[in-house]
Amino acid sequence: MKLSPGKTFAYGLQHVLTMYGGIIAPPLIIGTAAGLSPEENGLLVACCLFVGGLATLLQTIGIPFFGAQLPLVQGTSFATVSTIVAILNGGGGLPAVFGAVIVAALIGLLVAPFFARINRFFPPVVTGAVITMIGISLIPVAANWAMGGDAKAENYGSLSNIGLAAGTLVLVLLLSKVGNAAISRISILLAIVLGTILAVILGMADFSKVSQGAIFAFPEPLAFGMPVFEIGGIISMTIVMLVILTETTADVLAVGEITGSKIDSRRIANGLRADMASSALAPIFNTFPQSAFAQNVGLVAITGITSRFVVAAGGGILVVLGLLPILGRVVAAVPTPVLGGAGIVLFGTVAASGIRTLSKVKYDGMNLVIVATSIAFGCIPIVKTDFYSGFPTWFETIFHSGISSAAIMAVLLNLLFNEFTFGNTKNASVFSAAPPRMVKQDEVCGLIDGDHFEDGKLIDKQGYEIPVVTPDDYQKIQTGEIQMPLPKLNQAGSGH
């Protein structure tokens, strides 16, 4: 798909706005946990944008062996936040975090080719469940944004915040409905802009801090000191890297399904290597592990803009935002409820894409229970966030993500029921869906208007019984070997 430079930039900016709230949240959370000053927090955010942009360029444009060359936006992974905070609470500080990230990412880089070979274990029954779960797991993010984003704020969850989110949602839907295809495709971007204007009018947006601070600043390498390598942090971060590999594999498969691209183990490996290489270099520029952003998968699906160069343009914008903090402050001034209203459509679209994939599944055998169990298992940490709080830290790290929980369960159940078929019952499982009723075309081609069944007999509109014969008898009647039974008036139907 070839687009003009102007459209490429506009669609790329739409991707940036979609994920901006998500990409700056981890460094803000981590900076607060580390006790950093506002200026140091600002440096973390700028570095996060800069590295995320470079990682996006690597993933979308690619070089030999690195990059899936798919429309995937990269950024700091939420999956790492709890582990990073745990390392900080252990007293190691940011240098220990950065050291753990470097080693864990290098380990992930080594295992990426082997991890990618599990592609054959991701049939539609698995990918559909995982893609659906990606969308479901992002709905709480949209809800939090719609409420205001900061649970400590006085107006968090207020009717004004939720009303602004609802207004943005309505704008998305109305703009998507208009006859102009160009407007429909940038409906998310336009809705965010119009929603922000509405927020300014209502006094719910603050652009006063845009002019404060530096206009241009290159991220200072190793601004927090040389990395420190602690074995405990390295082990826990390596587990997180496996989670990131799982989530990125799911995102690659999801985007491949949406764009109609061929996804094989080699392409997955290239994508995973890009993730891990970006993550290994990220600490040099004071930031954290990189992974594909699931929310942007929904944007690809809802706009139909599948060009990887559009996302590459978004990566370029992120790099510029990282170098020009003033532009970052402009984008950061977009009210969170506006992003929440747009996120409802975006994240729901991801789930809908998964449901579309699941429609290709033949629900015989145990496929229904695979889908049901995987999605329910993935929802556990979403609806009950403290469910795994009593488990070992490494276990909680893996299964606290609804995406990785669903992916692991779906893969294991698919192996158990569809790969290792020994011991499977020949009859349909009690869990399997009843097959849909259907009639072959050649079975109804001989029927005419008025034919119907009465008491198990086929009757025409005159009330005469139509003989129902076996395929063998039908053939013999056609060749004259036996005589055609004479039609007789059906007594039960003679009064009609």
Side-chain angles (χ1 to χ4, degrees):
M1 179 183 294
K2 294 183 179 180
L3 300 171
S4 67
K7 288 184 177 180
T8 299
F9 176 82
Y11 292 134
L13 178 60
Q14 190 171 227
H15 274 284
V16 172
L17 290 173
T18 298
M19 52 87 74
Y20 192 85
I23 197 174
I24 68 172
L28 289 176
I29 296 170
I30 294 167
T32 302
L36 301 184
S37 66
E39 293 76 15
E40 290 172 325
N41 268 336
L43 175 62
L44 279 187
V45 171
C47 291
C48 179
L49 296 171
F50 180 72
V51 172
L54 293 177
T56 300
L57 291 171
L58 177 62
Q59 188 70 273
T60 53
I61 297 176
I63 60 176
F65 303 108
F66 293 89
Q69 296 184 331
L70 290 168
L72 288 166
V73 178
Q74 302 291 114
T76 300
S77 172
F78 266 105
T80 65
V81 172
S82 59
T83 299
I84 290 173
V85 171
I87 295 174
L88 291 172
N89 292 337
L94 284 176
V97 171
F98 293 143
V101 170
I102 291 173
V103 176
L106 291 175
I107 294 173
L109 187 61
L110 292 175
V111 304
F114 305 100
F115 200 91
R117 291 178 184 174
I118 67 173
N119 184 37
R120 67 177 291 261
F121 300 120
F122 282 82
V125 68
V126 174
T127 58
V130 174
I131 296 169
T132 302
M133 199 62 240
I134 291 174
I136 293 173
S137 68
L138 289 170
I139 298 301
V141 176
N144 180 57
W145 288 350
M147 295 176 73
D150 183 5
K152 297 180 181 178
E154 291 184 4
N155 65 340
Y156 182 77
S158 65
L159 289 179
S160 58
N161 281 345
I162 296 176
L164 180 58
T168 305
L169 171 61
V170 171
L171 286 171
V172 173
L173 298 177
L174 290 178
L175 290 169
S176 298
K177 181 180 174 58
V178 298
N180 190 315
I183 292 178
S184 181
R185 284 178 171 175
I186 60 171
S187 59
I188 299 293
L189 175 59
L190 290 177
I192 291 174
V193 172
L194 293 174
T196 301
I197 293 174
L198 177 62
V200 171
I201 295 173
L202 297 174
M204 298 177 64
D206 182 12
F207 287 87
S208 62
K209 297 180 180 178
V210 169
S211 60
Q212 299 178 8
I215 295 177
F216 176 87
F218 188 86
E220 179 187 351
L222 300 175
F224 298 94
M226 294 295 292
V228 175
F229 304 98
E230 296 180 350
I231 186 65
I234 291 172
I235 293 174
S236 59
M237 191 58 66
T238 300
I239 295 171
V240 173
M241 287 301 173
L242 295 177
V243 175
I244 291 176
L245 289 172
T246 302
E247 292 185 344
T248 297
T249 299
D251 288 330
V252 169
L253 292 168
V255 171
E257 180 73 24
I258 292 169
T259 63
S261 302
K262 179 183 179 182
I263 304 299
D264 54 20
S265 59
R266 181 178 179 181
R267 197 164 193 177
I268 293 175
N270 289 345
L272 297 181
R273 275 193 287 259
D275 252 15
M276 294 299 102
S278 301
S279 298
L281 293 175
I284 305 301
F285 289 99
N286 318 298
T287 193
F288 312 101
Q290 304 293 297
S291 69
F293 261 54
Q295 49 259 59
N296 291 81
V297 176
L299 187 58
V300 173
I302 199 171
T303 63
I305 304 298
T306 59
S307 171
R308 59 192 172 100
F309 297 106
V310 165
V311 174
I317 294 171
L318 286 174
V319 172
V320 172
L321 290 174
L323 295 174
L324 297 174
I326 187 172
L327 295 181
R329 292 192 292 271
V330 171
V331 178
V334 174
T336 307
V338 171
L339 299 176
I344 291 173
V345 180
L346 287 172
F347 305 158
T349 304
V350 178
S353 297
I355 294 171
R356 182 176 59 187
T357 300
L358 288 174
S359 69
K360 302 176 183 178
V361 176
K362 185 178 180 182
Y363 287 101
D364 57 1
M366 295 295 289
N367 280 339
L368 186 66
V369 74
I370 292 173
V371 174
T373 306
S374 301
I375 292 179
F377 190 67
C379 285
I380 288 176
I382 297 174
V383 300
K384 192 63 177 172
T385 55
D386 59 348
F387 187 85
Y388 295 112
S389 60
F391 287 73
T393 302
W394 64 267
F395 190 95
E396 183 181 8
T397 298
I398 296 173
F399 290 96
H400 188 69
S401 165
I403 299 171
S404 57
S405 295
I408 291 170
M409 179 62 75
V411 169
L412 291 178
L413 291 181
N414 180 62
L415 286 172
L416 178 62
F417 296 121
N418 292 335
E419 295 290 335
F420 306 138
T421 56
F422 178 77
N424 285 4
T425 177
K426 293 183 180 180
N427 299 319
S429 164
V430 67
F431 295 106
S432 63
R437 289 191 62 199
M438 61 186 73
V439 179
K440 291 189 293 185
Q441 187 176 13
D442 60 357
E443 293 174 342
V444 298
C445 63
L447 299 179
I448 60 176
D449 186 39
D451 291 347
H452 60 281
F453 272 93
E454 290 181 19
D455 298 327
K457 298 177 182 180
L458 182 60
I459 310 299
D460 67 10
K461 64 180 180 181
Q462 303 296 331
Y464 287 93
E465 181 181 350
I466 303 172
V468 177
V469 298
T470 66
D472 288 340
D473 287 344
Y474 182 87
Q475 188 67 28
K476 292 177 181 178
I477 292 170
Q478 293 286 70
T479 59
E481 293 182 37
I482 62 175
Q483 295 296 316
M484 172 74 178
L486 294 175
K488 54 184 180 180
L489 187 65
N490 181 44
Q491 297 300 319
S494 58
H496 295 286

